[in-house]
């Protein structure tokens, strides 16, 4: 039987890797145990690898960087735990070559999670490692879906208090697609905002019968805000992408969505330097101002 400690350290490490898909040794240390010596995290990861629950690749660049990912066996074990139950298990990479082909984007998504987790710790607010959930599937009907890079839960105010819960869809762009493709994404989220599932042959609601509701209301009391995190380019490239999002926001079909849902963009470099709670975000409707990510168009 696999010796995954019930005290939490091994269990949290495997749960995080299962949920995040991939992380470097340094990233895992920052997520699960920033208050202990880094060597303890290295030993923990090596132990989980010896037990067949996780594996690693070593990238030749950046000082032979080690990147960890869960094995199919590790995903099977972790998916049975209450903290991950009900979440669709991730598609596991089958070998180191497959992992290497996915590593760039996945590590950037993990780094984005860390800037929010570490900012919450500094501020005494509540955003735990498993409050960052990559690739949550939201169907649009007809086989289409919106799949954000991550869904984040974040409670403002002192931990243990009753501050507001903020939810966000996070899209991480590494400049691997053109600005036009990035700018099309708000339209997909607007479709999700309006999407009401129907069944073949479904009739209109009878008088007095409650009409069908949007699918997202089954999961969220308020539609999550939409955050674009931009990386993989310098300041000029970030400006180009923010401009493309702003031009897309001028579409009359998006006006109601953008008046209801905060849609913001920021450079990952600014999030690292200043923290995501600071006014480093550009509202796509008003890219000449900068706001905190908790900003609301109704404020």
């Amino acid at each position: 039987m696999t010796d995954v400690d019930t005290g939490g350290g091994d269990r949290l490490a495997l749960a995080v890797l299962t949920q995040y898909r991939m992380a470097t040794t340094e990233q895992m240390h920052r997520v699960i145990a920033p208050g202990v010596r880094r060597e303890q995290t290295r030993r923990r990861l090596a132990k989980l690898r010896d037990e067949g629950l996780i594996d690693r690749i070593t990238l030749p660049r950046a000082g032979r960087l080690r990147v960890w990912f869960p094995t199919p066996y590790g995903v099977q074990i972790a998916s049975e735990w209450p903290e991950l139950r009900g979440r669709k298990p991730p598609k596991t990479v089958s070998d180191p070559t497959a992992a290497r082909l996915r590593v760039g984007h996945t590590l950037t998504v993990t780094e984005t999670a860390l800037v929010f987790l570490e900012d919450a710790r500094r501020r005494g607010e509540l955003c735990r490692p498993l409050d960052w959930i990559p690739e949550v599937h939201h169907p649009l009907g007809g086989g289409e879906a919106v799949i954000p890079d991550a869904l984040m839960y974040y409670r403002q105010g002192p931990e243990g208090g009753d501050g507001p819960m903020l939810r966000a869809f996070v899209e991480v762009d590494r400049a691997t697609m053109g600005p036009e493709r990035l700018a099309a994404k708000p339209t997909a989220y607007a479709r999700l905002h309006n999407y009401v599932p129907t069944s073949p042959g479904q009739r209109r609601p009878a008088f007095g019968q409650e009409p069908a509701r949007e699918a997202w209301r089954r999961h969220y009391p308020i539609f999550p805000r939409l955050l674009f995190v931009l990386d993989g380019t310098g300041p000029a490239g970030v400006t180009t992408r923010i401009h493309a999002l702003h031009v897309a926001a001028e579409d009359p079909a998006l006006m109601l969505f953008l008046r209801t849902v905060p849609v913001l963009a920021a450079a990952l470099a600014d999030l690292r330097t200043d923290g995501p709670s600071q006014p480093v975000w550009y509202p796509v409707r008003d890219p000449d101002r900068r706001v905190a990510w908790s900003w609301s168009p109704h404020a």
Side-chain angles (χ1 to χ4, degrees):
M1 182 175 179
T2 301
D3 179 25
V4 178
D5 70 309
T6 56
D10 290 358
R11 183 179 178 120
L12 178 59
L14 179 56
V16 165
L17 269 183
T18 298
Q19 191 150 291
Y20 287 35
R21 281 49 167 172
M22 290 182 196
T24 66
T25 305
E26 173 69 16
Q27 287 175 332
M28 285 298 294
H29 180 71
R30 289 161 60 196
V31 173
I32 67 173
V36 304
R37 292 173 57 246
R38 191 170 284 104
E39 183 58 33
Q40 291 182 238
T41 300
R42 293 194 187 100
R43 287 200 300 266
R44 188 180 302 282
L45 294 171
K47 174 175 176 282
L48 293 174
R49 186 186 187 214
D50 289 342
E51 294 171 332
L53 296 166
I54 68 175
D55 203 350
R56 75 182 186 210
I57 57 173
T58 302
L59 302 181
R61 58 180 175 81
R64 296 185 59 80
L65 192 69
R66 287 182 174 178
V67 178
W68 301 87
F69 57 93
T71 64
Y73 175 53
V75 170
Q76 177 187 342
I77 294 293
S79 296
E80 296 172 355
W81 296 339
E83 56 266 45
L84 297 185
R85 194 173 296 149
R87 297 181 184 175
K88 185 178 179 180
K91 294 180 180 179
T92 55
V93 290
S94 56
D95 55 52
T97 299
R100 191 171 290 109
L101 293 174
R102 294 175 54 182
V103 72
H105 182 77
T106 307
L107 290 185
T108 304
V109 174
T110 299
E111 185 65 24
T112 304
L114 270 161
V115 298
F116 283 97
L117 291 173
E118 293 175 333
D119 196 50
R121 289 168 183 164
R122 286 191 296 267
R123 295 170 61 84
E125 298 184 324
L126 186 59
C127 185
R128 296 192 178 98
L130 298 182
D131 289 334
W132 179 271
I133 312 171
E135 298 180 7
V136 179
H137 188 274
H138 297 81
L140 288 175
E144 295 185 82
V146 170
I147 307 174
D149 286 317
L151 165 66
M152 179 179 64
Y153 292 88
Y154 188 112
R155 186 175 295 281
Q156 288 187 304
E159 187 169 345
D162 58 354
M165 170 64 75
L166 300 179
R167 301 165 186 83
F169 294 131
V170 183
E171 288 283 351
V172 176
D173 176 67
R174 299 176 57 241
T176 55
M177 65 176 71
E180 294 78 11
R181 285 184 60 194
L182 173 68
K185 291 196 172 188
T187 300
Y189 283 92
R191 289 180 59 199
L192 176 62
H193 185 261
N194 297 328
Y195 172 61
V196 177
T198 58
S199 302
Q202 182 177 344
R203 298 180 180 178
R204 291 184 177 180
F207 179 75
Q209 182 180 356
E210 185 176 344
R213 306 181 74 200
E214 295 89 349
W216 62 265
R217 295 185 186 276
R218 301 174 185 171
H219 309 286
Y220 315 110
I222 300 173
F223 195 86
R225 62 195 57 232
L226 175 56
L227 305 178
F228 288 94
V229 176
L230 310 177
D231 194 38
T233 184
V238 169
T239 299
T240 297
R241 281 167 154 66
I242 290 173
H243 177 71
L245 288 166
H246 174 61
V247 170
E250 297 297 310
D251 184 346
L254 288 178
M255 287 300 183
L256 178 60
F257 174 68
L258 293 173
R259 282 199 298 266
T260 306
V261 178
V263 181
L264 310 171
L268 179 56
D270 290 341
L271 304 187
R272 285 186 178 123
T273 302
D274 300 323
S277 58
Q278 298 304 306
V280 296
W281 299 86
Y282 296 88
V284 298
R285 290 184 65 197
D286 185 9
D288 293 327
R289 66 187 299 197
R290 289 173 42 134
V291 299
W293 78 274
S294 57
W295 172 85
S296 168
H298 311 296

